[in-house]
Amino acid sequence: MYTVTKEINARKIELYIVHENVTKKTISLNSKVSPKKEIEKFGKQIQNNKCYFIIGSGNGTLLEYLLEKNFHSKFYIIELFREIDYDEKYKDKLKNHNIYFYHNEDLNYIKISDAIRESFGMGIEILIHPNYENLRRELLHSVLEKIKMGTTTTKINNNTEKYFMFEWLIEPILNLSLSKEGKNLLDVKDKFEQRPIIIVASGPSLVDNLDFIKKNKDRAYIIASGSAVNGLLNYGISPDFVTIIDASITNFTAHFKNTKYTGPIITAGTTNHLILKHHPGEIYFTNLAQDSITNEVRPDFLMVPTVPSVALYSLLLTHYLNASEVYLVGQDLALKNGEYYASGVHKHKGIENLGPTKEVEGNTLEKVITTLPLASMLESFNNAVESIRKVNKQVKIYNLSTIGAKIKGVPYKNKNEIKLGETIDKSWISRTPIEKTLDYTNSLEYLEKLKSCKREVDEIVRKIDRMNSNAVTLQDLEKILKLIKKIRENKMLETHILNMIYSTTKSINNMFEYGFEDNFKTNSERVDMLIKLKFFVKYIQQYLEGLTDHKAWFEMDIDVSLENS
C-alpha cells in the first residue's frame, strides 16, 4: 500500500510524494527542481495526429504544457492516485482541447476501447510520465493491462462490425414488413412497472437455478435472453418473453429454427428476419441506437443503446420498464469446467474454439476463468449497471450465479434467501399463434434507394479515377471535396450507410480534424490526401455493391412472388 502527500519544497515547487508502505521508499511524482523543463523534455516525443494514453499527471505541469502547445492530437491522461484531482471546470477546459482526465479506478476496457475507436486513423501510443516509471510495477501493470484489454475489445468490435456490416442494415429493412405496423413495447410498460423480473441467460449455472425459476414463475416475469429459451424449454419451463437482437443466420438455425416457443418476443429491427418471420407468436419492438432504419420509420419505439449482447439488452429493458427488482440467472460471464453454455441450450460451431482465457474476480469465488470476449462483455455489464445506478440509486439487481464473474454493483444473492411477494397477473400475455401478413412495400423502397445511392457513388468514382494521382493541385482537391460533399448530401448514405462502416468513416473525419497541419502546401500532402479520399469513396462503392447484391434480398423477391401468384 501507499500514501500520497502534497508538499511545497524550498524552491516553492508543488510536489506530490508517494510513500510506499512496503518498501519504505518515497517517490516524487514530478521534478523537485524544474517540473517545466522536465515536461518540455518529455513533450519532445509528442506529435500531431496521434492518440496518446499518458499514465500520470504529476503536479499538473504536463496538463498546462499540453494546453499551451495545443497539439492536433488526442490525450487520455490516466492518473493512478485519487489524491491528485482537478475541479470539473478545469476538466471541461481540458476536454475542449481534446485532453481527457481519468482516474485509473474509474477506467475500464470499454472506455479505453471507445477512446481507441474515436481515434481511428490516428497512431496510438502509450507514454508514462517521467517520475511514474519509478513506481512499483504492480501499479503500472494494472493500467497497461486495461489498455491491452481495451485494444483487444476494439479488435473484437471491429471484427463484429465487419462481420455484420451488411446484416445490420439489411435485417432492419427486411423486418419493416413487421416492424412498421408492429407492437410497441412501451404500450405494455405499465404491466412491468414495480414488478420483479428474472432474466435468464444461457450460462452453465442456469441449471443450478431451475428450481428457483419454477418456484417463482407466478411471482415474477421470466425473460429468456436469446438462446436461453431452449435451455428453459428443455427443462419444462416456458418463459413469459424472449429477447432477441442478433442479426446472424446462425442465431436462427442454432436457436430458433426448431424452437417450440410460441410466446411473445421482445426485439429490435436488427434481429435476423427469419426468426421474426417464422415466429408464431406476438412480437414487441424497440429501437436500437445502431439501427437507423427502424428508428426512421418508427421513432415512437423505445430507444435502447447499442449493446454487444442480448443479455445486456434484457438488463437495460428492465431498467426502462421500471422493474422493482431484477434477478440474473445463468449470467455467468465465465466458464464452468470449460463449458460456455448450460446443459440443454442448443450449441453452435462458433463456441467450439473459445480462444485465450483469463482470470477475473468471481461472484462468490476469489477467481474464475473467462474468455476474452466474455471479459469484455463483463466490462459492458459494469458500465451498464453504473449508468443505471446514476439514474436510479435504489435499483435492486442481484446475480444468483455462484460460479460466475463479479459484476460491479450487482451483489450475489442466495436463491434460498429470496422471498418474492404476490402472484402477478399474466393473463394478458398471449401464447396463441397469430397469422402474419408480410408487406415488403417499404423494404423494396429502401432497396431502390440503396441502388440509387450506388449509381451516384459509381459516377463519382469514375470522375475521381480520371484525376492524376501523381501531381495533385489544390484545385484537384477542391473538386474531389465537392464530389464527396455531394454524395454526403444523399440522405441514405449519410444517415444509414456511413453508420455501417464506422471505422473507415471515423478515420476520414479524424484526418480532416487532426491531419495535414500545413494546409496541403506540398504535392506529397495533396497526393496523400487524394489517395485516402479515393480509398474512402471506393470503400463506400464496394460496400454498396456487396449490399445491393446480397443474397438476403432474394428471399424478399420469393415472398413477393408468392403473394402475387
Side-chain angles (χ1 to χ4, degrees):
M1 294 294 290
Y2 62 85
T3 55
V4 178
T5 59
K6 182 178 177 181
E7 302 174 9
I8 305 292
N9 70 6
R11 296 172 180 264
K12 306 223 187 272
I13 294 173
E14 183 179 83
L15 303 173
Y16 281 97
I17 308 293
V18 176
H19 306 268
E20 292 191 346
N21 298 341
V22 175
T23 63
K24 304 301 181 183
K25 287 172 59 179
T26 59
I27 301 166
S28 173
L29 295 180
N30 51 270
S31 171
K32 298 178 181 180
V33 179
S34 179
K36 187 174 181 181
K37 285 184 179 178
E38 176 184 59
I39 294 304
E40 285 174 349
K41 181 180 178 182
F42 174 78
K44 287 179 180 178
Q45 60 193 309
I46 296 175
Q47 302 171 7
N48 287 321
N49 195 27
K50 286 201 171 185
C51 171
Y52 291 98
F53 290 93
I54 301 180
I55 302 174
S57 62
N59 67 353
T61 304
L62 168 65
L63 303 179
E64 288 300 308
Y65 173 82
L66 295 177
L67 286 171
E68 179 188 338
K69 291 295 182 181
N70 198 25
F71 291 101
H72 289 183
S73 287
K74 293 183 179 180
F75 300 91
Y76 295 89
I77 313 299
I78 306 173
E79 179 52 60
L80 302 180
F81 303 104
R82 180 64 74 178
E83 292 84 350
I84 300 176
D85 202 359
Y86 305 92
D87 61 42
E88 292 305 316
K89 186 176 180 180
Y90 186 69
K91 289 178 184 176
D92 288 340
K93 180 181 177 181
L94 294 174
K95 286 179 185 177
N96 290 335
H97 290 78
N98 295 307
I99 305 166
Y100 305 91
F101 181 87
Y102 292 96
H103 284 107
N104 181 36
E105 60 191 57
D106 297 333
L107 206 56
N108 59 30
Y109 313 155
I110 303 303
K111 291 177 182 177
I112 291 173
S113 175
D114 288 344
I116 295 172
R117 282 176 63 80
E118 282 294 307
S119 306
F120 280 145
M122 306 168 74
I124 308 288
E125 282 194 31
I126 302 170
L127 301 177
I128 302 176
H129 188 289
N131 290 38
Y132 283 65
E133 292 180 345
N134 299 321
L135 294 167
R136 288 168 59 196
R137 293 185 61 83
E138 304 94 275
L139 286 170
L140 295 174
H141 178 76
S142 68
V143 187
L144 295 173
E145 180 64 20
K146 284 181 183 179
I147 296 174
K148 178 183 175 183
M149 281 301 299
T151 304
T152 300
T153 300
T154 303
K155 289 178 181 177
I156 293 169
N157 290 339
N158 286 354
N159 290 338
T160 303
E161 178 190 290
K162 289 177 182 177
Y163 187 82
F164 289 110
M165 64 191 302
F166 297 125
E167 284 81 355
W168 282 344
L169 193 58
I170 291 173
E171 298 305 333
I173 292 175
L174 292 176
N175 282 328
L176 288 174
S177 60
L178 294 169
S179 63
K180 187 174 186 296
E181 303 298 333
K183 291 192 172 186
N184 190 338
L185 180 64
L186 289 176
D187 290 341
V188 294
K189 179 182 177 182
D190 62 307
K191 304 289 187 182
F192 295 92
E193 286 189 329
Q194 293 305 301
R195 300 285 193 277
I197 295 178
I198 299 172
I199 300 177
V200 184
S202 52
S205 70
L206 163 59
V207 295
D208 299 331
N209 293 286
L210 292 170
D211 55 342
F212 169 78
I213 299 171
K214 290 177 180 179
K215 177 183 174 183
N216 293 290
K217 63 183 179 64
D218 296 325
R219 296 182 177 87
Y221 286 112
I222 312 298
I223 296 179
S225 296
S227 58
V229 61
N230 295 308
L232 290 175
L233 292 174
N234 286 333
Y235 287 101
I237 301 172
S238 182
D240 299 313
F241 299 90
V242 174
T243 52
I244 315 170
I245 58 171
D246 193 344
S248 72
I249 185 66
T250 302
N251 197 34
F252 170 65
T253 55
H255 303 304
F256 292 99
K257 187 175 182 179
N258 299 310
T259 185
K260 295 180 174 57
Y261 178 71
T262 60
I265 281 175
I266 302 175
T267 191
T270 54
T271 297
N272 185 274
H273 70 282
L274 293 175
I275 297 174
L276 304 187
K277 175 182 175 181
H278 294 291
H279 178 61
E282 291 186 327
I283 301 174
Y284 290 92
F285 283 93
T286 71
N287 278 317
L288 269 186
Q290 76 189 45
D291 172 14
S292 54
I293 298 291
T294 312
N295 185 43
E296 186 171 77
V297 176
R298 290 297 301 269
D300 57 314
F301 287 161
L302 170 68
M303 176 60 75
V304 181
T306 298
V307 287
S309 79
V310 68
L312 202 45
Y313 172 74
S314 300
L315 177 61
L316 290 177
L317 286 182
T318 64
H319 167 59
Y320 294 125
L321 295 173
N322 197 23
S324 59
E325 63 250 52
V326 179
Y327 300 94
L328 304 181
V329 169
Q331 195 57 71
D332 300 316
L333 298 168
L335 305 178
K336 180 182 181 182
N337 299 324
E339 289 294 321
Y340 187 100
Y341 279 143
S343 172
V345 174
H346 297 175
K347 301 178 182 180
H348 56 85
K349 290 185 178 180
I351 65 162
E352 289 179 0
N353 181 14
L354 298 176
T357 60
K358 65 171 295 177
E359 284 190 341
V360 295
E361 182 183 356
N363 202 30
T364 62
L365 304 172
E366 185 176 346
K367 295 289 182 182
V368 293
I369 301 296
T370 190
T371 66
L372 296 186
L374 284 178
S376 294
M377 196 74 66
L378 173 61
E379 293 291 357
S380 294
F381 265 89
N382 291 340
N383 272 5
V385 172
E386 181 184 6
S387 298
I388 290 171
R389 291 198 179 280
K390 283 180 181 177
V391 178
N392 180 8
K393 289 184 171 55
Q394 305 305 315
V395 66
K396 299 175 182 176
I397 309 173
Y398 304 101
N399 192 347
L400 276 60
S401 173
T402 58
I403 55 104
K406 171 66 179 172
I407 302 172
K408 291 179 182 176
V410 180
Y412 165 72
K413 191 84 168 178
N414 187 318
K415 63 183 178 181
N416 298 317
E417 297 174 357
I418 300 171
K419 309 293 182 186
L420 296 183
E422 59 188 24
T423 299
I424 293 176
D425 176 17
K426 298 184 181 181
S427 60
W428 64 278
I429 302 175
S430 173
R431 297 185 183 277
T432 306
I434 59 174
E435 188 174 333
K436 291 186 178 69
T437 302
L438 299 177
D439 180 2
Y440 287 106
T441 303
N442 285 92
S443 303
L444 289 167
E445 289 175 358
Y446 270 98
L447 178 56
E448 183 50 45
K449 289 178 183 177
L450 290 173
K451 291 179 178 178
S452 175
C453 185
K454 182 181 179 299
R455 289 192 291 270
E456 188 177 338
V457 172
D458 287 344
E459 178 59 29
I460 286 173
V461 168
R462 280 192 287 272
K463 290 179 180 179
I464 294 174
D465 279 341
R466 289 198 288 266
M467 292 183 176
N468 185 346
S469 297
N470 297 316
V472 181
T473 66
L474 287 173
Q475 288 74 23
D476 291 331
L477 286 185
E478 189 176 342
K479 285 179 185 177
I480 192 172
L481 289 172
K482 283 181 178 178
L483 290 173
I484 290 176
K485 182 181 178 183
K486 185 174 183 294
I487 60 172
R488 293 197 71 160
E489 289 171 355
N490 184 302
K491 185 181 177 183
M492 196 70 196
L493 180 79
E494 188 67 21
T495 305
H496 305 296
I497 294 166
L498 295 185
N499 193 35
M500 295 297 108
I501 51 174
Y502 175 85
S503 57
T504 304
T505 304
K506 192 64 182 177
S507 295
I508 290 296
N509 291 342
N510 282 335
M511 180 184 73
F512 281 112
E513 186 172 356
Y514 298 99
F516 305 112
E517 3 178 338
D518 295 325
N519 297 318
F520 318 111
K521 290 179 180 177
T522 66
N523 183 62
S524 62
E525 270 200 323
R526 294 191 292 271
V527 168
D528 188 33
M529 184 177 188
L530 178 62
I531 291 170
K532 288 177 178 176
L533 290 176
K534 283 178 73 171
F535 171 81
F536 177 54
V537 178
K538 288 193 173 186
Y539 191 82
I540 295 172
Q541 182 188 40
Q542 291 169 5
Y543 174 73
L544 283 166
E545 186 175 337
L547 190 66
T548 52
D549 291 342
H550 200 281
K551 61 183 180 181
W553 303 118
F554 295 114
E555 183 171 337
M556 180 172 66
D557 293 337
I558 292 170
D559 284 343
V560 171
S561 302
L562 290 174
E563 287 176 15
N564 295 333
S565 62

